Amino acid sequence: MLVPSPLMSTFVEARNIPSHVAIIMDGNGRWAQLRDLPRVAGHREGSRTVRRMVRACRRLGVKALTLYAFSEQNWERPEIEVDALMELLREFLLSERDEILGNGIRFNAVGNLGRLPGLVRAVLEPLKEASRDNDAMTLTLALSYGGREEIAAVARELARQVKAGEIDASEIDAELLHRRMPSLSVGDPDLVIRTGGEQRISNFLLYGLAYAELYFSNALWPDFSEHDLHAAIASFQGRERRFGLVGQDPRLLTIPPQARAANG
Ligand code: IPE
Ligand code: IPE
Ligand code: MG
């Protein structure tokens, strides 16, 4: 079955929806700059896009959506911007609470959450708790998050356990590390989308990215539409994931057109 996108030009196959979609929501500042507005206006508009994308992913049947909302490195931005982002985060959590609970969404957050202001944690923790048994979709916000910091935290805890004699160092393997990564409790990301035109990872989900499909969109996050999301998913659906094995796809879909032309 095909689900037509709003503009009817991209078709998403209903049976091959990525289970875990992760998004690096970038471009809010530039969106505002283009309009001679303060950066915070871009962040406000960006939070509207978050709302739309949560709805769109739920409609498509995505099981887990992870959104990179604030990196550990973003704390170094000007105080006025950091404060505005924290306020917007609090507003978002308050205004979305009913929709999250009403739609059976489990809300989660990963990152160095202890660094968040008390006013944010005061709304974040209760929402996490109230939604813990929901299973329609897991919405995870990566907040004060860094992929390297997450790996370091897991390594630190494992070292502590080895020292305490709780586990043996020989038990530490890639799978154990994976099980310990809070960002991967919903499984590896299948599709990672970055908006805003940059083609980099910026310290997001480093451990889980091993075999993720990457998709870069030039749309600035406030402009990212349901149609753009469908285009990203359609691109994912046209790829053959090989996980280090040998390709099986007889349609040779994964030979880039230029390479096909160059090889007759
Ligand atoms: C992404 O938009 C939001 C956060 C990082 C908090 P930016 O604020 O990075 O926007 P640009 O990249 O400067 O346009
Ligand atoms: C990545 O965007 C972080 C988030 C989207 C939260 P940045 O704007 O912080 O990343 P760089 O500076 O372009 O690498
Ligand atoms: Mg940016």
Side-chain angles (χ1 to χ4, degrees), residues 25-30 39 74 77 194-195 198 200 202:
M25 310 184 288
D26 197 27
N28 293 350
R30 282 164 284 162
R39 290 177 61 84
N74 289 152
R77 291 188 179 196
R194 182 178 185 135
T195 66
E198 312 286 5
R200 56 178 173 253
S202 302

Side-chain angles (χ1 to χ4, degrees), residues 45-56:
E45 198 59 34
S47 80
R48 296 199 180 100
T49 307
V50 173
R51 224 161 271 154
R52 290 201 304 273
M53 288 308 125
V54 173
R55 283 185 196 148

Side-chain angles (χ1 to χ4, degrees), residues 1-2 4 10-11 16 27 36 64 81 92 105-106 129 175-176 179 182 192 197 204-205 210 217 233 235 237:
M1 185 188 144
L2 297 174
T10 307
F11 284 92
N16 187 19
D36 282 326
E81 180 167 348
F92 175 83
I105 296 174
R106 185 167 77 91
E129 192 50 37
E175 247 171 72
L176 178 61
R179 281 202 300 278
V192 176
F204 190 41
L205 301 184
S217 165
I233 293 181
S235 166
Q237 293 179 330

Side-chain angles (χ1 to χ4, degrees), residues 5-148:
S5 90
L7 296 180
M8 302 296 287
S9 57
T10 307
F11 284 92
V12 168
E13 283 179 75
R15 60 172 176 77
N16 187 19
I17 298 293
S19 171
H20 181 184
V21 174
I23 309 183
I24 302 172
M25 310 184 288
D26 197 27
N28 293 350
R30 282 164 284 162
W31 184 92
Q33 203 179 342
L34 281 170
R35 290 162 177 75
D36 282 326
L37 294 170
R39 290 177 61 84
V40 63
H43 295 311
R44 186 165 298 115
E45 198 59 34
S47 80
R48 296 199 180 100
T49 307
V50 173
R51 224 161 271 154
R52 290 201 304 273
M53 288 308 125
V54 173
R55 283 185 196 148
C57 285
R58 188 171 53 75
R59 275 199 294 270
L60 286 169
V62 168
K63 292 307 290 177
L65 174 64
T66 300
L67 300 174
Y68 200 7
F70 192 83
S71 75
E72 191 76 346
Q73 288 65 35
N74 289 152
W75 288 114
E76 301 305 319
R77 291 188 179 196
E79 197 179 329
I80 187 167
E81 180 167 348
V82 171
D83 289 350
L85 280 164
M86 292 302 136
E87 181 51 38
L88 279 171
L89 175 58
R90 183 180 149 85
E91 279 171 25
F92 175 83
L93 294 170
L94 287 170
S95 69
E96 296 314 288
R97 185 186 163 89
D98 288 350
E99 181 155 345
I100 288 174
L101 296 177
N103 287 300
I105 296 174
R106 185 167 77 91
F107 173 78
N108 196 16
V110 293
N112 189 357
L113 304 180
R115 257 187 113 174
L116 297 172
L119 278 173
V120 170
R121 274 183 289 144
V123 289
L124 190 130
E125 293 300 337
L127 183 54
K128 221 167 124 176
E129 192 50 37
S131 66
R132 59 185 283 179
D133 295 327
N134 291 350
D135 63 0
M137 179 173 95
T138 299
L139 168 65
T140 304
L141 294 189
L143 296 168
S144 190
Y145 176 87
R148 287 183 170 176

Side-chain angles (χ1 to χ4, degrees), residues 111-249:
N112 189 357
L113 304 180
R115 257 187 113 174
L116 297 172
L119 278 173
V120 170
R121 274 183 289 144
V123 289
L124 190 130
E125 293 300 337
L127 183 54
K128 221 167 124 176
E129 192 50 37
S131 66
R132 59 185 283 179
D133 295 327
N134 291 350
D135 63 0
M137 179 173 95
T138 299
L139 168 65
T140 304
L141 294 189
L143 296 168
S144 190
Y145 176 87
R148 287 183 170 176
E149 288 78 359
E150 181 180 38
I151 293 169
V154 171
R156 210 157 42 237
E157 173 60 11
L158 288 171
R160 190 199 61 74
Q161 287 190 287
V162 169
K163 196 170 170 204
E166 292 165 17
I167 58 168
D168 192 83
S170 65
E171 291 171 53
I172 300 175
D173 59 10
E175 247 171 72
L176 178 61
L177 251 78
H178 191 284
R179 281 202 300 278
R180 296 295 186 91
M181 297 283 156
S183 67
L184 305 181
S185 64
V186 289
D188 282 331
D190 298 295
L191 170 65
V192 176
I193 300 169
R194 182 178 185 135
T195 66
E198 312 286 5
Q199 304 203 356
R200 56 178 173 253
I201 295 303
S202 302
N203 206 14
F204 190 41
L205 301 184
L206 297 182
Y207 200 79
L209 278 173
Y211 281 101
E213 295 297 328
L214 307 180
Y215 182 89
F216 298 99
S217 165
N218 285 328
L220 303 172
W221 178 248
D223 294 329
F224 192 73
S225 65
E226 193 164 350
H227 175 71
D228 294 322
L229 174 73
H230 287 189
I233 293 181
S235 166
F236 169 88
Q237 293 179 330
R239 302 180 190 186
E240 184 186 46
R241 301 182 79 188
R242 292 194 281 277
F243 299 97
L245 307 182
V246 174
Q248 297 293 320
D249 192 336

